[in-house]
Amino acid sequence: MIPSKVTIYEVGARDGLQNESGVISTDVKVEFIERLVAAGLPIVEATSFVHPTWVPQLADAADVMARLGDAGKDLPVLVPNERGLDRALELGLTHIAIFGSATDTFARKNLNRSLDEQFAMFEPTVTRARAAGLDVRAYVSMCFGDPWEGAVPIEQVVGVGKRLFDLGASQLSLGDTIGVGTAGHVKDLIGGFVAAGMRIDDLAMHFHDTYGQALANAYSALQEGISTYDASAGGLGGCPYAKSATGNLATEDLVWMLNGLGIETGVDLDAVVATSVWMAKHLGRPSPSAVVRALAAG
């Protein structure tokens, strides 16, 4: 049954900007986040406490969160390990996310750990975060395909996803990192998690639009009852460790479709479009979002 209300988990400020080669100022990042919150997006992932040599674009994570002040306390931040958690705790943040892999090759490239070793790395981080009262989200990447390993068996994705979730997460986001998923594959993957005992409400979907399938995939997930979707304002994003990964599902494209279905989001579409047009000027290129291009053209 298609849900009557959908939560959009905005990832533009973190996943959207992390792959940008040109340095974006802290001032612009802070204003970007503030604009997204003001547009009614209920969850805005702000940044990531990764080592700056991994993702140079987010080297100012602590400065961004400090600038946001109390308004940023409840915004999620990605943490790769306990050191990242320490930084989140020092700033009094309340919501973190971890980022695992469904495949061994990507785990080694992204985390410098094997498929099995990643759980040992995440376990103390999640345990400490939960003990401190923080909410924890778990991402699992390469759920539909891997550029090195090819197709990823559904049972493998389910096994990894459940192990990550069972560490103590409140939600599991299933990522089509390189955008090869199709509507039928989406249905089968969700069915695999449900068959393994996970609740629909504990799952979120994270689509990339490499093959132009992100909206179709989101509609397929809607039909399975999924009510949380990751999206990036203006369709920004990629993955610094998977060069075939292109932009995320654009927030504006998703909201346009959901509005047409009569599904409540609480998001001001015009405000998000205006924000993406503003950010495109700072990036020096137009937004890849079809809805942004259409509405910005009048």
Side-chain angles (χ1 to χ4, degrees):
M1 182 176 179
I2 292 180
S4 60
K5 182 177 181 179
V6 155
T7 298
I8 296 178
Y9 193 105
E10 173 61 48
V11 298
R14 195 274 302 173
D15 195 17
L17 296 183
Q18 69 178 7
N19 208 36
E20 292 294 327
S21 56
V23 176
I24 301 162
S25 73
T26 302
D27 287 345
V28 170
K29 291 175 187 171
V30 170
E31 184 172 348
F32 188 38
I33 293 165
E34 291 173 338
R35 281 172 169 260
L36 293 170
V37 171
L41 286 153
I43 306 173
V44 178
E45 191 171 73
T47 188
S48 175
F49 288 129
V50 297
H51 195 282
T53 58
W54 293 4
V55 185
Q57 187 63 256
L58 303 183
D60 61 349
D63 291 338
V64 167
M65 299 314 295
R67 286 274 302 277
L68 289 167
D70 288 342
K73 298 293 187 186
D74 294 329
L75 301 184
V77 295
L78 192 71
V79 302
N81 48 35
E82 286 192 272
R83 195 167 177 184
L85 174 62
D86 289 338
R87 297 174 71 190
L89 291 171
E90 288 167 5
L91 288 164
L93 307 184
T94 65
H95 188 166
I96 66 163
I98 59 172
F99 194 93
S101 172
T103 66
D104 186 73
T105 304
F106 190 63
R108 293 181 186 278
K109 288 181 179 291
N110 190 33
L111 304 169
N112 200 29
R113 300 288 191 281
S114 71
L115 189 66
D116 285 328
E117 288 169 349
Q118 67 179 327
F119 302 106
M121 181 180 76
F122 288 132
E123 183 174 13
T125 301
V126 176
T127 299
R128 283 184 54 208
R130 296 294 289 171
L134 275 64
D135 185 58
V136 179
R137 185 188 218 219
Y139 287 97
V140 56
S141 58
M142 302 298 174
C143 291
F144 294 83
D146 177 290
W148 301 278
E149 298 184 18
V152 185
I154 285 177
E155 58 270 20
Q156 179 174 317
V157 179
V158 171
V160 170
K162 275 192 80 348
R163 284 182 70 181
L164 280 173
F165 181 79
D166 290 344
L167 290 176
S170 62
Q171 187 177 71
L172 181 69
S173 175
L174 306 177
D176 184 11
T177 313
I178 59 173
V180 295
T182 60
H185 196 165
V186 170
K187 179 179 180 180
D188 291 344
L189 183 62
I190 294 169
F193 275 97
V194 172
M198 285 201 66
R199 301 185 312 136
I200 285 288
D201 289 347
D202 292 330
L203 299 174
M205 305 305 296
H206 184 118
F207 296 120
H208 284 232
D209 207 32
T210 314
Y211 291 83
Q213 300 298 298
L215 271 182
N217 291 340
Y219 186 73
S220 179
L222 280 171
Q223 291 179 309
E224 301 306 308
I226 300 292
S227 60
T228 300
Y229 295 85
D230 300 357
S232 175
L236 295 175
C239 176
Y241 303 100
K243 299 306 179 186
S244 54
T246 56
N248 290 282
L249 168 60
T251 303
E252 295 88 347
D253 296 7
L254 178 60
V255 172
W256 181 271
M257 181 183 77
L258 295 173
N259 285 349
L261 291 167
I263 296 174
E264 180 185 347
T265 65
V267 176
D268 182 337
L269 178 58
D270 290 337
V272 183
V273 168
T275 296
S276 291
V277 171
W278 168 84
M279 177 54 79
K281 291 177 182 177
H282 285 284
L283 297 176
R285 65 174 188 277
S287 167
S289 163
V291 169
V292 170
R293 293 197 307 268
L295 293 182

